[in-house]
Amino acid sequence: MTEPQITLYRLQACPYCERVVRTLNRFGLEYESRYIEPMHSERNVVKRVSGARSVPAIVDRETGVTMSESANIVEYLEGTYGDAATDGGRAADDAATDGGRAADEGGA
């Protein structure tokens, strides 16, 4: 089994982190969640990865992008994996042929 291409550094019950999670799920992207220390001064893991202690932060090994701040991450994901992406509509086609993934998003 291969490692997901995206790693999301996040906090429990963080609304900004959940915004990124919803976007990742909307595009059907596999990702690994890494929960970090709630104390800002102890977020050394995310600082080593992204250069800042803020969350959410992502590392996308597919594109080599590392970034933080939920608005920036959502914009990046939409531009890279969304309908507007220059992938010829791959994300939209995948969602249309993935019978049931959209139904899974509406639950819990």
Side-chain angles (χ1 to χ4, degrees):
M1 185 172 184
T2 62
E3 191 173 317
Q5 74 182 38
I6 296 174
T7 301
L8 170 63
Y9 294 85
R10 64 194 280 201
L11 293 170
Q12 290 279 9
C14 165
Y16 301 106
C17 300
E18 292 305 313
R19 178 180 181 198
V20 172
V21 167
R22 284 191 305 273
T23 304
L24 288 162
N25 290 337
R26 187 173 78 222
F27 295 129
L29 297 170
E30 291 188 25
Y31 63 94
E32 174 185 2
S33 285
R34 292 202 180 157
Y35 291 93
I36 62 163
E37 294 293 324
M39 179 78 72
H40 191 269
S41 63
E42 295 179 11
R43 297 180 190 169
N44 296 325
V45 170
V46 76
K47 177 149 175 59
R48 280 192 299 272
V49 170
S50 70
R53 286 188 166 94
S54 62
V55 292
I58 65 164
V59 175
D60 186 343
R61 283 176 287 290
E62 181 80 15
T63 61
V65 168
T66 299
M67 64 175 25
S68 55
E69 300 296 331
S70 64
N72 294 339
I73 294 169
V74 168
E75 182 178 340
Y76 161 76
L77 293 171
E78 288 173 344
T80 304
Y81 299 105
D83 293 341
T86 58
D87 63 1
R90 185 195 80 218
D93 291 344
D94 289 350
T97 59
D98 188 13
R101 181 168 293 168
D104 293 341
E105 291 178 32

